[in-house]
Amino acid sequence: VLRDANKLAQLEEPQLLPKESIQDMAKDVTYICPFVGAIRGTMTVTNYRLFFKCIERDPAFVLDLPLGVISRIEKIGTASSRGEVSYGLICKDIRNLRFAHKQEGHNRRSIFETLMKFAFPISNSMQVFAYDYGQVFPENGWKMYDAISEYKRQGLPNESWRITKVNDHFELCDTYPAVLVVPVNIPDEELKRVSAFRAKGRIPVLSWIHPESQATVTRCSQPMVGVNGKRSKDDEKYLQAIMDANAQSHKLFIFDARHSVNAVANKTKGGGFESEDAYQNAELVFLDIHNIHVMRESLRKLKEVVHPNIEETHWLSNLESTHWLEHIKLILAGALRIADKVESGKTSVVVHCSDGWDRTAQLTSLSMLMLDSYYRTVRGFQVLVEKEWLSFGHRFQLRIGHGDKNHTDADRSPVFLQFIDCVWQMTRQFPAAFEFNEYFLITILDHLYSCLFGTFLCNSEQQRVKEEVQKKSISLWSYINSQLEEFTNPLYVNYTNHVLFPVVSMRHLELWVGYYIRWNPRMRPQEPVHQRYKELLAKRAELQKKVEELQREVTNRSASSSSERAGSPTRSITPVQTFV
């Protein structure tokens, strides 16, 4: 009997990760599923996840939720007529979960106290699980991105651009990376004066350079113009130097991500935008992308429309009322204008919003994805995220709120989610241009919240260095790169120097059902696409092998026939170029 009881307990418990430990367990908990109704089972809370299992169903019903995904936990109402208390878990990944349990008995009340403690470790003076997780992977993902190597890949430094170490100890700008690329004729002393005129000291620095035209994508924050229209000779000279570094064009485009109204309003807080009078040969364009508060509200509305149930009769009008796709369209349209100006116009561009770490990161990374096929590979995309988002100080801790119970914090916003959504929209329009598949993008978003890896912790490179994140935690890329076949697109064709110009009209955009509505069992594809992809990859590898064998055979035959005709002049054999 004891053996049976142990066996049953094993069935109900999760398979634990290294350093994961069970903190609490309660039987007879009811999960109130919005799709199939009440399910009674066993709930286990570890220092990393909530695990709920009902083994009475066939197949067994399992919920496996990293605690980092929980945004807030609330008690719903008082005890019901059956003496049950229910709790709602509002999650960051577009789902809400509801559990109920009988009120009597200490352990059931304590399980929700345990949940509160481990879902919000920062609020409880503890550390997130990423610092405990000790899994060993064959590759160290922290070595994926090296700034000097990435600039070298782009052909930098060159005669117009230099690498400066002025921010080595984050003294010029504490939210910028240590390695920066700036115009060659601007000395470090002048950079310091420019930083005094830019919000948070975020001076214009190079993100990407065109391999042929030398047109560049540079990023920064708003100039501190203020109500009185302050000017900075150093800043004006600096932007002129960016323009001069590109001999193909005698113009510079400044793309301000904001609405012009908001940019003007920023003057009252000391910010603002470049006046075309002060900056000779510069043209200013506003891209009309809304701020983080508007985006947060838009996602809240989208969540209401898609979870748990979809109102069939007003689906399209409800979706439109969230404005989510409208925002996606404006971000993509802005990135497209930047890419087009650099590629077709051979003109250098400067991109900024207010602080240069939200909308700016969306625009530079998406335009670089359009311009450079390297970023469309699995490893190249990891470099893009590390470079444009992590090293340049997108405030992940503040925007996501890792381990922090203060869910009403005005700094929370789905900025990075929107970027990944835009990438997905591009993969729909160019299905053979990306080495990675949809599962890769979903995995990144799941671990944006999970707190299993150190990749998305902290707000800046300086903070990550101070917290020793690389030493104390594992990189998400270690996990992904250890099983690349899971994340590879079998339709991928490697076209180098292939620029993508997506169509950004509303009728070409669609809601990402595979992410936002994936919790609804009625929306799941009848056949798992992921499995099909793996089969296609295997077939592709098999065919590739066959091609190589045939090529070897052709080479051997030609070699043997040429040796037979040693006396006669040999014909040159052209190698067969194949793309499967």
Side-chain angles (χ1 to χ4, degrees):
V1 177
L2 191 63
R3 193 180 300 144
D4 287 351
N6 286 343
K7 207 170 175 185
L8 195 68
Q10 279 173 351
L11 281 171
E12 291 173 347
E13 286 175 19
Q15 275 206 308
L16 299 179
L17 297 168
K19 303 282 172 69
E20 184 183 8
S21 56
I22 292 174
Q23 303 297 321
D24 211 340
M25 198 171 183
K27 295 186 184 300
D28 282 344
V29 174
T30 305
Y31 166 53
I32 302 156
C33 175
F35 309 112
V36 298
I39 301 169
R40 196 167 280 265
T42 301
M43 182 193 278
T44 309
V45 175
T46 74
N47 51 346
Y48 168 63
R49 79 182 93 191
L50 178 157
F51 186 81
F52 176 85
K53 189 165 188 179
C54 166
I55 51 173
E56 281 145 31
R57 287 178 171 250
D58 192 29
F61 178 88
V62 173
L63 258 182
D64 192 340
L65 179 86
L67 299 179
V69 167
I70 300 170
S71 172
R72 70 181 193 270
I73 299 170
E74 49 191 36
K75 202 169 176 179
I76 302 169
T78 50
S80 68
S81 54
R82 291 182 307 183
E84 289 199 326
V85 185
S86 66
Y87 292 84
L89 271 56
I90 288 82
C91 300
K92 297 170 184 175
D93 63 358
I94 323 292
R95 59 181 156 164
N96 296 339
L97 306 172
R98 193 172 160 191
F99 294 95
H101 64 74
K102 291 228 170 8
Q103 208 170 11
E104 83 272 0
H106 160 75
N107 70 332
R108 297 201 190 96
R109 191 177 325 118
S110 77
I111 200 157
F112 282 94
E113 285 162 9
T114 309
L115 202 53
M116 283 295 284
K117 182 177 166 185
F118 286 93
F120 309 115
I122 305 296
S123 303
N124 290 295
S125 307
M126 303 186 327
Q127 59 180 19
V128 294
F129 182 69
Y131 292 127
D132 297 322
Y133 179 49
Q135 184 79 50
V136 178
F137 291 99
E139 184 182 320
N140 180 359
W142 293 122
K143 295 201 161 37
M144 257 314 299
Y145 174 63
D146 172 70
I148 303 281
S149 309
E150 167 54 15
Y151 288 124
K152 192 176 174 184
R153 183 192 70 82
Q154 293 187 31
L156 297 162
N158 62 18
E159 63 281 358
S160 306
W161 294 89
R162 69 184 179 94
I163 290 176
T164 174
K165 293 291 181 76
V166 71
N167 204 39
D168 232 2
H169 300 292
F170 309 104
E171 281 164 5
L172 179 82
C173 172
D174 61 2
T175 59
Y176 259 6
V179 176
L180 301 171
V181 176
V182 296
V184 78
N185 56 347
I186 304 287
D188 287 352
E189 279 314 305
E190 274 183 45
L191 295 179
K192 288 172 188 170
R193 293 201 291 275
V194 173
S195 92
F197 188 66
R198 290 277 164 179
K200 310 284 193 293
R202 294 172 68 95
I203 63 169
V205 289
L206 182 141
S207 275
W208 190 79
I209 185 164
H210 195 289
E212 286 149 23
S213 70
Q214 304 291 293
T216 55
V217 176
T218 51
R219 59 181 293 170
C220 56
S221 60
Q222 64 183 341
M224 301 306 283
V225 175
V227 197
N228 302 325
K230 267 201 311 221
R231 285 178 63 170
S232 157
K233 285 278 170 251
D234 293 301
D235 196 76
E236 288 159 28
K237 179 188 169 188
Y238 188 85
L239 260 64
Q240 183 65 39
I242 291 173
M243 194 191 78
D244 292 343
N246 168 17
Q248 302 256 2
S249 171
H250 301 293
K251 202 163 190 174
L252 182 71
F253 268 83
I254 301 170
F255 286 100
D256 188 324
R258 304 167 293 186
H259 269 271
S260 55
V261 180
N262 296 36
V264 170
N266 261 286
K267 285 187 170 185
T268 59
K269 300 178 204 160
F273 51 90
E274 296 82 356
S275 88
E276 290 177 2
D277 299 335
Y279 295 83
Q280 296 299 306
N281 309 314
E283 189 173 319
L284 182 70
V285 179
F286 291 104
L287 295 173
D288 299 340
I289 301 167
H290 286 278
N291 65 27
I292 62 166
H293 312 295
V294 173
M295 301 310 192
R296 181 176 61 245
E297 181 57 18
S298 177
L299 183 65
R300 188 192 63 76
K301 286 181 180 168
L302 179 65
K303 186 171 172 174
E304 273 180 11
V305 168
V306 301
H307 190 87
N309 290 308
I310 290 162
E311 192 190 336
E312 190 61 41
T313 46
H314 299 107
W315 166 242
L316 290 173
S317 52
N318 284 347
L319 179 60
E320 189 188 18
S321 70
T322 68
H323 302 295
W324 184 257
L325 285 176
E326 212 174 292
H327 299 315
I328 294 294
K329 177 205 153 158
L330 284 167
I331 296 163
L332 271 171
L336 179 66
R337 287 180 75 171
I338 293 164
D340 183 49
K341 200 52 75 185
V342 171
E343 176 64 26
S344 313
K346 296 179 170 46
T347 308
S348 291
V349 300
V350 174
V351 186
H352 71 72
C353 43
S354 299
D355 293 316
W357 51 46
D358 290 314
R359 289 168 280 194
T360 301
Q362 289 175 331
L363 292 165
T364 57
S365 52
L366 286 166
S367 60
M368 288 156 70
L369 199 63
M370 293 171 194
L371 290 162
D372 192 336
S373 59
Y374 169 67
Y375 298 125
R376 303 196 282 269
T377 65
V378 171
R379 290 171 187 272
F381 190 79
Q382 294 169 12
V383 166
L384 184 67
V385 170
E386 285 281 345
K387 179 175 179 298
E388 290 303 298
W389 290 87
L390 291 153
S391 83
F392 275 100
H394 173 67
R395 289 143 60 109
F396 280 100
Q397 178 64 46
L398 275 171
R399 296 288 175 260
I400 308 302
H402 300 305
D404 183 351
K405 68 176 184 197
N406 183 15
H407 60 89
T408 54
D409 191 335
D411 279 318
R412 304 261 176 112
S413 192
V415 180
F416 187 73
L417 166 62
Q418 285 183 319
F419 159 66
I420 297 287
D421 193 327
C422 289
V423 175
W424 178 81
Q425 301 287 347
M426 284 173 65
T427 66
R428 296 291 284 177
Q429 292 192 26
F430 303 99
F434 294 83
E435 189 188 13
F436 49 82
N437 58 23
E438 180 185 48
Y439 183 55
F440 173 75
L441 297 176
I442 291 174
T443 301
I444 289 174
L445 287 177
D446 282 346
H447 290 297
L448 171 65
Y449 307 122
S450 74
C451 293
L452 182 59
F453 301 102
T455 303
F456 298 116
L457 300 182
C458 304
N459 292 318
S460 64
E461 189 176 298
Q462 183 197 33
Q463 276 187 17
R464 282 180 209 101
V465 170
K466 190 179 162 209
E467 296 285 332
E468 298 183 304
V469 171
Q470 294 198 11
K471 200 190 282 181
K472 294 178 181 172
S473 69
I474 310 290
S475 163
L476 170 59
W477 316 130
S478 303
Y479 167 74
I480 284 179
N481 296 343
S482 68
Q483 42 182 347
L484 285 173
E485 68 287 348
E486 292 284 337
F487 305 106
T488 305
N489 168 18
L491 307 176
Y492 173 62
V493 181
N494 183 9
Y495 294 118
T496 45
N497 304 331
H498 197 68
V499 178
L500 306 181
F501 289 136
V503 180
V504 295
S505 71
M506 282 300 275
R507 64 181 180 277
H508 281 85
L509 302 180
E510 51 188 306
L511 182 72
W512 185 7
V513 171
Y515 180 72
Y516 299 108
I517 318 187
R518 62 184 164 146
W519 309 117
N520 188 330
R522 296 178 195 108
M523 296 302 286
R524 285 190 196 127
Q526 290 181 342
E527 186 181 40
V529 180
H530 195 59
Q531 193 50 41
R532 277 278 164 270
Y533 270 4
K534 285 166 97 168
E535 287 163 16
L536 275 172
L537 274 174
K539 190 74 188 157
R540 176 176 162 153
E542 187 189 312
L543 291 169
Q544 193 72 50
K545 203 172 162 188
K546 213 169 217 174
V547 166
E548 284 161 12
E549 279 169 14
L550 289 168
Q551 281 183 328
R552 274 199 300 275
E553 207 175 299
V554 167
T555 315
N556 293 342
R557 276 188 190 174
S558 62
S560 61
S561 61
S562 62
S563 61
E564 280 166 24
R565 295 193 312 276
S568 59
T570 54
R571 290 175 301 161
S572 65
I573 302 281
T574 318
V576 188
Q577 284 277 303
T578 50
F579 291 100
V580 178

